[in-house]
PDB file of all heavy atoms in Angstrom:
ATOM      1  N   TYR A 229       0.818  -1.211   0.000  1.00  0.00           N
ATOM      2  CA  TYR A 229       0.000   0.000   0.000  1.00  0.00           C
ATOM      3  C   TYR A 229       0.856   1.267   0.000  1.00  0.00           C
ATOM      4  O   TYR A 229       0.327   2.367  -0.140  1.00  0.00           O
ATOM      5  CB  TYR A 229      -0.935   0.000   1.208  1.00  0.00           C
ATOM      6  CG  TYR A 229      -2.129  -0.907   1.046  1.00  0.00           C
ATOM      7  CD1 TYR A 229      -2.068  -2.235   1.454  1.00  0.00           C
ATOM      8  CD2 TYR A 229      -3.306  -0.446   0.480  1.00  0.00           C
ATOM      9  CE1 TYR A 229      -3.158  -3.075   1.306  1.00  0.00           C
ATOM     10  CE2 TYR A 229      -4.403  -1.286   0.320  1.00  0.00           C
ATOM     11  CZ  TYR A 229      -4.319  -2.603   0.730  1.00  0.00           C
ATOM     12  OH  TYR A 229      -5.408  -3.438   0.565  1.00  0.00           O
ATOM     13  N   GLN A 230       2.161   1.110   0.160  1.00  0.00           N
ATOM     14  CA  GLN A 230       3.072   2.251   0.205  1.00  0.00           C
ATOM     15  C   GLN A 230       3.938   2.358  -1.048  1.00  0.00           C
ATOM     16  O   GLN A 230       4.949   3.041  -1.053  1.00  0.00           O
ATOM     17  CB  GLN A 230       3.962   2.140   1.447  1.00  0.00           C
ATOM     18  CG  GLN A 230       3.180   2.217   2.744  1.00  0.00           C
ATOM     19  CD  GLN A 230       4.030   1.941   3.974  1.00  0.00           C
ATOM     20  OE1 GLN A 230       5.130   1.401   3.868  1.00  0.00           O
ATOM     21  NE2 GLN A 230       3.530   2.313   5.141  1.00  0.00           N
ATOM     22  N   LEU A 231       3.515   1.714  -2.116  1.00  0.00           N
ATOM     23  CA  LEU A 231       4.255   1.774  -3.377  1.00  0.00           C
ATOM     24  C   LEU A 231       4.188   3.175  -3.984  1.00  0.00           C
ATOM     25  O   LEU A 231       3.173   3.865  -3.864  1.00  0.00           O
ATOM     26  CB  LEU A 231       3.685   0.760  -4.371  1.00  0.00           C
ATOM     27  CG  LEU A 231       3.893  -0.724  -4.036  1.00  0.00           C
ATOM     28  CD1 LEU A 231       2.994  -1.590  -4.905  1.00  0.00           C
ATOM     29  CD2 LEU A 231       5.358  -1.116  -4.213  1.00  0.00           C
ATOM     30  N   ASP A 232       5.268   3.571  -4.666  1.00  0.00           N
ATOM     31  CA  ASP A 232       5.308   4.869  -5.346  1.00  0.00           C
ATOM     32  C   ASP A 232       4.462   4.888  -6.619  1.00  0.00           C
ATOM     33  O   ASP A 232       4.158   5.944  -7.149  1.00  0.00           O
ATOM     34  CB  ASP A 232       6.755   5.226  -5.721  1.00  0.00           C
ATOM     35  CG  ASP A 232       7.619   5.489  -4.495  1.00  0.00           C
ATOM     36  OD1 ASP A 232       7.048   5.812  -3.436  1.00  0.00           O
ATOM     37  OD2 ASP A 232       8.852   5.366  -4.600  1.00  0.00           O
ATOM     38  N   TYR A 233       4.125   3.720  -7.098  1.00  0.00           N
ATOM     39  CA  TYR A 233       3.416   3.589  -8.369  1.00  0.00           C
ATOM     40  C   TYR A 233       2.019   4.212  -8.264  1.00  0.00           C
ATOM     41  O   TYR A 233       1.298   3.985  -7.287  1.00  0.00           O
ATOM     42  CB  TYR A 233       3.309   2.114  -8.743  1.00  0.00           C
ATOM     43  CG  TYR A 233       3.085   1.848 -10.192  1.00  0.00           C
ATOM     44  CD1 TYR A 233       4.145   1.835 -11.088  1.00  0.00           C
ATOM     45  CD2 TYR A 233       1.811   1.601 -10.692  1.00  0.00           C
ATOM     46  CE1 TYR A 233       3.935   1.584 -12.443  1.00  0.00           C
ATOM     47  CE2 TYR A 233       1.592   1.349 -12.028  1.00  0.00           C
ATOM     48  CZ  TYR A 233       2.667   1.338 -12.899  1.00  0.00           C
ATOM     49  OH  TYR A 233       2.457   1.092 -14.231  1.00  0.00           O
ATOM     50  N   PRO A 234       1.583   4.986  -9.272  1.00  0.00           N
ATOM     51  CA  PRO A 234       0.333   5.751  -9.124  1.00  0.00           C
ATOM     52  C   PRO A 234      -0.956   4.988  -9.408  1.00  0.00           C
ATOM     53  O   PRO A 234      -1.995   5.289  -8.820  1.00  0.00           O
ATOM     54  CB  PRO A 234       0.501   6.895 -10.124  1.00  0.00           C
ATOM     55  CG  PRO A 234       1.376   6.329 -11.184  1.00  0.00           C
ATOM     56  CD  PRO A 234       2.310   5.387 -10.481  1.00  0.00           C
ATOM     57  N   PHE A 235      -0.920   4.027 -10.337  1.00  0.00           N
ATOM     58  CA  PHE A 235      -2.165   3.398 -10.785  1.00  0.00           C
ATOM     59  C   PHE A 235      -2.134   1.899 -10.500  1.00  0.00           C
ATOM     60  O   PHE A 235      -1.656   1.113 -11.326  1.00  0.00           O
ATOM     61  CB  PHE A 235      -2.391   3.630 -12.281  1.00  0.00           C
ATOM     62  CG  PHE A 235      -2.339   5.065 -12.684  1.00  0.00           C
ATOM     63  CD1 PHE A 235      -1.512   5.478 -13.718  1.00  0.00           C
ATOM     64  CD2 PHE A 235      -3.115   6.014 -12.028  1.00  0.00           C
ATOM     65  CE1 PHE A 235      -1.459   6.809 -14.096  1.00  0.00           C
ATOM     66  CE2 PHE A 235      -3.074   7.353 -12.398  1.00  0.00           C
ATOM     67  CZ  PHE A 235      -2.233   7.752 -13.426  1.00  0.00           C
ATOM     68  N   TYR A 236      -2.636   1.521  -9.351  1.00  0.00           N
ATOM     69  CA  TYR A 236      -2.685   0.091  -9.049  1.00  0.00           C
ATOM     70  C   TYR A 236      -3.821  -0.205  -8.081  1.00  0.00           C
ATOM     71  O   TYR A 236      -4.328   0.659  -7.377  1.00  0.00           O
ATOM     72  CB  TYR A 236      -1.358  -0.411  -8.491  1.00  0.00           C
ATOM     73  CG  TYR A 236      -1.008   0.043  -7.092  1.00  0.00           C
ATOM     74  CD1 TYR A 236      -1.282  -0.764  -5.990  1.00  0.00           C
ATOM     75  CD2 TYR A 236      -0.369   1.265  -6.853  1.00  0.00           C
ATOM     76  CE1 TYR A 236      -0.948  -0.378  -4.702  1.00  0.00           C
ATOM     77  CE2 TYR A 236      -0.031   1.670  -5.577  1.00  0.00           C
ATOM     78  CZ  TYR A 236      -0.331   0.850  -4.501  1.00  0.00           C
ATOM     79  OH  TYR A 236       0.005   1.240  -3.226  1.00  0.00           O
ATOM     80  N   GLU A 237      -4.229  -1.460  -8.111  1.00  0.00           N
ATOM     81  CA  GLU A 237      -5.226  -1.978  -7.176  1.00  0.00           C
ATOM     82  C   GLU A 237      -4.665  -3.265  -6.575  1.00  0.00           C
ATOM     83  O   GLU A 237      -3.734  -3.862  -7.115  1.00  0.00           O
ATOM     84  CB  GLU A 237      -6.548  -2.257  -7.894  1.00  0.00           C
ATOM     85  CG  GLU A 237      -6.432  -3.310  -8.982  1.00  0.00           C
ATOM     86  CD  GLU A 237      -7.762  -3.614  -9.670  1.00  0.00           C
ATOM     87  OE1 GLU A 237      -8.779  -3.045  -9.258  1.00  0.00           O
ATOM     88  OE2 GLU A 237      -7.758  -4.434 -10.623  1.00  0.00           O
ATOM     89  N   ILE A 238      -5.236  -3.681  -5.444  1.00  0.00           N
ATOM     90  CA  ILE A 238      -4.785  -4.907  -4.786  1.00  0.00           C
ATOM     91  C   ILE A 238      -5.973  -5.827  -4.593  1.00  0.00           C
ATOM     92  O   ILE A 238      -7.014  -5.418  -4.044  1.00  0.00           O
ATOM     93  CB  ILE A 238      -4.120  -4.618  -3.431  1.00  0.00           C
ATOM     94  CG1 ILE A 238      -3.001  -3.578  -3.587  1.00  0.00           C
ATOM     95  CG2 ILE A 238      -3.566  -5.909  -2.839  1.00  0.00           C
ATOM     96  CD1 ILE A 238      -2.300  -3.227  -2.287  1.00  0.00           C
ATOM     97  N   LEU A 239      -5.818  -7.075  -5.049  1.00  0.00           N
ATOM     98  CA  LEU A 239      -6.858  -8.086  -4.881  1.00  0.00           C
ATOM     99  C   LEU A 239      -6.326  -9.218  -4.011  1.00  0.00           C
ATOM    100  O   LEU A 239      -5.188  -9.681  -4.209  1.00  0.00           O
ATOM    101  CB  LEU A 239      -7.311  -8.641  -6.225  1.00  0.00           C
ATOM    102  CG  LEU A 239      -8.057  -7.671  -7.156  1.00  0.00           C
ATOM    103  CD1 LEU A 239      -7.074  -6.913  -8.048  1.00  0.00           C
ATOM    104  CD2 LEU A 239      -9.073  -8.423  -8.021  1.00  0.00           C
ATOM    105  N   PHE A 240      -7.132  -9.649  -3.060  1.00  0.00           N
ATOM    106  CA  PHE A 240      -6.783 -10.750  -2.172  1.00  0.00           C
ATOM    107  C   PHE A 240      -7.767 -11.892  -2.384  1.00  0.00           C
ATOM    108  O   PHE A 240      -8.965 -11.658  -2.598  1.00  0.00           O
ATOM    109  CB  PHE A 240      -6.842 -10.308  -0.712  1.00  0.00           C
ATOM    110  CG  PHE A 240      -5.909  -9.190  -0.356  1.00  0.00           C
ATOM    111  CD1 PHE A 240      -6.341  -7.868  -0.408  1.00  0.00           C
ATOM    112  CD2 PHE A 240      -4.599  -9.446   0.020  1.00  0.00           C
ATOM    113  CE1 PHE A 240      -5.489  -6.829  -0.079  1.00  0.00           C
ATOM    114  CE2 PHE A 240      -3.740  -8.409   0.340  1.00  0.00           C
ATOM    115  CZ  PHE A 240      -4.178  -7.098   0.293  1.00  0.00           C
ATOM    116  N   ALA A 241      -7.258 -13.130  -2.306  1.00  0.00           N
ATOM    117  CA  ALA A 241      -8.135 -14.300  -2.406  1.00  0.00           C
ATOM    118  C   ALA A 241      -7.850 -15.237  -1.241  1.00  0.00           C
ATOM    119  O   ALA A 241      -6.711 -15.648  -1.016  1.00  0.00           O
ATOM    120  CB  ALA A 241      -7.909 -15.022  -3.734  1.00  0.00           C
ATOM    121  N   LEU A 242      -8.900 -15.551  -0.481  1.00  0.00           N
ATOM    122  CA  LEU A 242      -8.840 -16.466   0.651  1.00  0.00           C
ATOM    123  C   LEU A 242      -9.700 -17.686   0.366  1.00  0.00           C
ATOM    124  O   LEU A 242     -10.614 -17.630  -0.470  1.00  0.00           O
ATOM    125  CB  LEU A 242      -9.361 -15.772   1.916  1.00  0.00           C
ATOM    126  CG  LEU A 242      -8.758 -14.422   2.276  1.00  0.00           C
ATOM    127  CD1 LEU A 242      -9.666 -13.688   3.255  1.00  0.00           C
ATOM    128  CD2 LEU A 242      -7.385 -14.602   2.876  1.00  0.00           C
ATOM    129  N   ASP A 243      -9.447 -18.778   1.071  1.00  0.00           N
ATOM    130  CA  ASP A 243     -10.324 -19.945   0.931  1.00  0.00           C
ATOM    131  C   ASP A 243     -11.731 -19.618   1.420  1.00  0.00           C
ATOM    132  O   ASP A 243     -12.727 -19.991   0.793  1.00  0.00           O
ATOM    133  CB  ASP A 243      -9.763 -21.123   1.725  1.00  0.00           C
ATOM    134  CG  ASP A 243      -8.578 -21.774   1.039  1.00  0.00           C
ATOM    135  OD1 ASP A 243      -8.334 -21.467  -0.143  1.00  0.00           O
ATOM    136  OD2 ASP A 243      -7.886 -22.584   1.674  1.00  0.00           O
ATOM    137  N   ASN A 244     -11.814 -18.934   2.567  1.00  0.00           N
ATOM    138  CA  ASN A 244     -13.111 -18.596   3.140  1.00  0.00           C
ATOM    139  C   ASN A 244     -12.973 -17.375   4.037  1.00  0.00           C
ATOM    140  O   ASN A 244     -11.858 -16.951   4.368  1.00  0.00           O
ATOM    141  CB  ASN A 244     -13.694 -19.789   3.915  1.00  0.00           C
ATOM    142  CG  ASN A 244     -12.731 -20.280   4.995  1.00  0.00           C
ATOM    143  OD1 ASN A 244     -12.476 -19.586   5.980  1.00  0.00           O
ATOM    144  ND2 ASN A 244     -12.197 -21.482   4.809  1.00  0.00           N
ATOM    145  N   TRP A 245     -14.110 -16.836   4.465  1.00  0.00           N
ATOM    146  CA  TRP A 245     -14.096 -15.608   5.265  1.00  0.00           C
ATOM    147  C   TRP A 245     -13.624 -15.853   6.694  1.00  0.00           C
ATOM    148  O   TRP A 245     -13.373 -14.896   7.436  1.00  0.00           O
ATOM    149  CB  TRP A 245     -15.489 -14.979   5.291  1.00  0.00           C
ATOM    150  CG  TRP A 245     -15.967 -14.549   3.944  1.00  0.00           C
ATOM    151  CD1 TRP A 245     -17.024 -15.053   3.248  1.00  0.00           C
ATOM    152  CD2 TRP A 245     -15.412 -13.522   3.115  1.00  0.00           C
ATOM    153  NE1 TRP A 245     -17.170 -14.407   2.035  1.00  0.00           N
ATOM    154  CE2 TRP A 245     -16.187 -13.463   1.926  1.00  0.00           C
ATOM    155  CE3 TRP A 245     -14.332 -12.640   3.257  1.00  0.00           C
ATOM    156  CZ2 TRP A 245     -15.923 -12.570   0.891  1.00  0.00           C
ATOM    157  CZ3 TRP A 245     -14.066 -11.753   2.228  1.00  0.00           C
ATOM    158  CH2 TRP A 245     -14.845 -11.714   1.066  1.00  0.00           C
ATOM    159  N   ASN A 246     -13.493 -17.094   7.117  1.00  0.00           N
ATOM    160  CA  ASN A 246     -13.037 -17.399   8.471  1.00  0.00           C
ATOM    161  C   ASN A 246     -11.518 -17.388   8.599  1.00  0.00           C
ATOM    162  O   ASN A 246     -10.997 -17.535   9.706  1.00  0.00           O
ATOM    163  CB  ASN A 246     -13.571 -18.771   8.913  1.00  0.00           C
ATOM    164  CG  ASN A 246     -15.080 -18.791   9.026  1.00  0.00           C
ATOM    165  OD1 ASN A 246     -15.687 -17.799   9.435  1.00  0.00           O
ATOM    166  ND2 ASN A 246     -15.691 -19.910   8.657  1.00  0.00           N
ATOM    167  N   ASP A 247     -10.828 -17.237   7.487  1.00  0.00           N
ATOM    168  CA  ASP A 247      -9.362 -17.183   7.531  1.00  0.00           C
ATOM    169  C   ASP A 247      -8.923 -15.999   8.398  1.00  0.00           C
ATOM    170  O   ASP A 247      -9.416 -14.878   8.242  1.00  0.00           O
ATOM    171  CB  ASP A 247      -8.808 -17.030   6.110  1.00  0.00           C
ATOM    172  CG  ASP A 247      -7.313 -17.283   6.040  1.00  0.00           C
ATOM    173  OD1 ASP A 247      -6.563 -16.691   6.841  1.00  0.00           O
ATOM    174  OD2 ASP A 247      -6.902 -18.061   5.170  1.00  0.00           O
ATOM    175  N   GLN A 248      -7.999 -16.252   9.335  1.00  0.00           N
ATOM    176  CA  GLN A 248      -7.530 -15.200  10.232  1.00  0.00           C
ATOM    177  C   GLN A 248      -6.896 -14.031   9.491  1.00  0.00           C
ATOM    178  O   GLN A 248      -6.867 -12.908   9.993  1.00  0.00           O
ATOM    179  CB  GLN A 248      -6.519 -15.781  11.230  1.00  0.00           C
ATOM    180  CG  GLN A 248      -7.123 -16.734  12.242  1.00  0.00           C
ATOM    181  CD  GLN A 248      -6.070 -17.320  13.153  1.00  0.00           C
ATOM    182  OE1 GLN A 248      -5.215 -18.097  12.725  1.00  0.00           O
ATOM    183  NE2 GLN A 248      -6.116 -16.950  14.415  1.00  0.00           N
ATOM    184  N   ALA A 249      -6.385 -14.289   8.294  1.00  0.00           N
ATOM    185  CA  ALA A 249      -5.750 -13.220   7.527  1.00  0.00           C
ATOM    186  C   ALA A 249      -6.753 -12.168   7.081  1.00  0.00           C
ATOM    187  O   ALA A 249      -6.371 -11.022   6.811  1.00  0.00           O
ATOM    188  CB  ALA A 249      -5.030 -13.804   6.312  1.00  0.00           C
ATOM    189  N   CYS A 250      -8.028 -12.528   7.011  1.00  0.00           N
ATOM    190  CA  CYS A 250      -9.049 -11.600   6.514  1.00  0.00           C
ATOM    191  C   CYS A 250      -9.110 -10.336   7.371  1.00  0.00           C
ATOM    192  O   CYS A 250      -9.186  -9.217   6.852  1.00  0.00           O
ATOM    193  CB  CYS A 250     -10.404 -12.290   6.480  1.00  0.00           C
ATOM    194  SG  CYS A 250     -11.698 -11.311   5.698  1.00  0.00           S
ATOM    195  N   GLU A 251      -9.049 -10.495   8.675  1.00  0.00           N
ATOM    196  CA  GLU A 251      -9.102  -9.337   9.578  1.00  0.00           C
ATOM    197  C   GLU A 251      -7.886  -8.442   9.379  1.00  0.00           C
ATOM    198  O   GLU A 251      -7.994  -7.215   9.408  1.00  0.00           O
ATOM    199  CB  GLU A 251      -9.177  -9.823  11.020  1.00  0.00           C
ATOM    200  CG  GLU A 251      -9.277  -8.697  12.037  1.00  0.00           C
ATOM    201  CD  GLU A 251      -9.368  -9.202  13.468  1.00  0.00           C
ATOM    202  OE1 GLU A 251      -9.578 -10.422  13.664  1.00  0.00           O
ATOM    203  OE2 GLU A 251      -9.215  -8.391  14.396  1.00  0.00           O
ATOM    204  N   VAL A 252      -6.728  -9.057   9.174  1.00  0.00           N
ATOM    205  CA  VAL A 252      -5.500  -8.279   8.962  1.00  0.00           C
ATOM    206  C   VAL A 252      -5.604  -7.486   7.654  1.00  0.00           C
ATOM    207  O   VAL A 252      -5.232  -6.306   7.596  1.00  0.00           O
ATOM    208  CB  VAL A 252      -4.271  -9.208   8.932  1.00  0.00           C
ATOM    209  CG1 VAL A 252      -2.994  -8.401   8.681  1.00  0.00           C
ATOM    210  CG2 VAL A 252      -4.156  -9.993  10.234  1.00  0.00           C
ATOM    211  N   ILE A 253      -6.104  -8.115   6.614  1.00  0.00           N
ATOM    212  CA  ILE A 253      -6.252  -7.434   5.317  1.00  0.00           C
ATOM    213  C   ILE A 253      -7.156  -6.217   5.454  1.00  0.00           C
ATOM    214  O   ILE A 253      -6.829  -5.120   4.982  1.00  0.00           O
ATOM    215  CB  ILE A 253      -6.816  -8.407   4.258  1.00  0.00           C
ATOM    216  CG1 ILE A 253      -5.835  -9.539   3.985  1.00  0.00           C
ATOM    217  CG2 ILE A 253      -7.137  -7.659   2.965  1.00  0.00           C
ATOM    218  CD1 ILE A 253      -6.415 -10.666   3.150  1.00  0.00           C
ATOM    219  N   ARG A 254      -8.289  -6.399   6.099  1.00  0.00           N
ATOM    220  CA  ARG A 254      -9.237  -5.299   6.252  1.00  0.00           C
ATOM    221  C   ARG A 254      -8.647  -4.166   7.085  1.00  0.00           C
ATOM    222  O   ARG A 254      -8.887  -2.982   6.799  1.00  0.00           O
ATOM    223  CB  ARG A 254     -10.527  -5.820   6.880  1.00  0.00           C
ATOM    224  CG  ARG A 254     -11.371  -6.630   5.890  1.00  0.00           C
ATOM    225  CD  ARG A 254     -12.559  -7.272   6.560  1.00  0.00           C
ATOM    226  NE  ARG A 254     -13.472  -7.850   5.551  1.00  0.00           N
ATOM    227  CZ  ARG A 254     -14.366  -8.779   5.815  1.00  0.00           C
ATOM    228  NH1 ARG A 254     -14.473  -9.258   7.044  1.00  0.00           N
ATOM    229  NH2 ARG A 254     -15.153  -9.239   4.858  1.00  0.00           N
ATOM    230  N   LYS A 255      -7.891  -4.517   8.098  1.00  0.00           N
ATOM    231  CA  LYS A 255      -7.265  -3.496   8.943  1.00  0.00           C
ATOM    232  C   LYS A 255      -6.293  -2.652   8.131  1.00  0.00           C
ATOM    233  O   LYS A 255      -6.285  -1.412   8.220  1.00  0.00           O
ATOM    234  CB  LYS A 255      -6.534  -4.167  10.109  1.00  0.00           C
ATOM    235  CG  LYS A 255      -5.780  -3.205  11.016  1.00  0.00           C
ATOM    236  CD  LYS A 255      -5.025  -3.959  12.105  1.00  0.00           C
ATOM    237  CE  LYS A 255      -4.178  -3.006  12.941  1.00  0.00           C
ATOM    238  NZ  LYS A 255      -3.401  -3.741  13.977  1.00  0.00           N
ATOM    239  N   VAL A 256      -5.454  -3.305   7.325  1.00  0.00           N
ATOM    240  CA  VAL A 256      -4.472  -2.571   6.523  1.00  0.00           C
ATOM    241  C   VAL A 256      -5.166  -1.763   5.431  1.00  0.00           C
ATOM    242  O   VAL A 256      -4.844  -0.582   5.210  1.00  0.00           O
ATOM    243  CB  VAL A 256      -3.447  -3.544   5.908  1.00  0.00           C
ATOM    244  CG1 VAL A 256      -2.495  -2.814   4.973  1.00  0.00           C
ATOM    245  CG2 VAL A 256      -2.653  -4.261   6.997  1.00  0.00           C
ATOM    246  N   ALA A 257      -6.124  -2.363   4.752  1.00  0.00           N
ATOM    247  CA  ALA A 257      -6.820  -1.669   3.663  1.00  0.00           C
ATOM    248  C   ALA A 257      -7.529  -0.414   4.165  1.00  0.00           C
ATOM    249  O   ALA A 257      -7.591   0.602   3.453  1.00  0.00           O
ATOM    250  CB  ALA A 257      -7.811  -2.613   2.994  1.00  0.00           C
TER     251      ALA A 257
END
């Protein structure tokens, strides 16, 4: 999220919404 590049998006794919990483992703986003 701190890249110098001007035009980009980030997509994440999880197996399911219960993955613990989901909360971390939302916090950072």
Side-chain angles (χ1 to χ4, degrees):
Y229 283 90
Q230 296 173 344
L231 292 166
D232 293 338
Y233 202 82
F235 306 128
Y236 71 96
E237 62 178 357
I238 307 179
L239 293 89
F240 299 93
L242 308 162
D243 284 348
N244 56 68
W245 297 115
N246 295 324
D247 193 310
Q248 291 177 292
C250 187
E251 182 179 348
V252 179
I253 295 169
R254 286 173 170 160
K255 177 183 175 182
V256 175

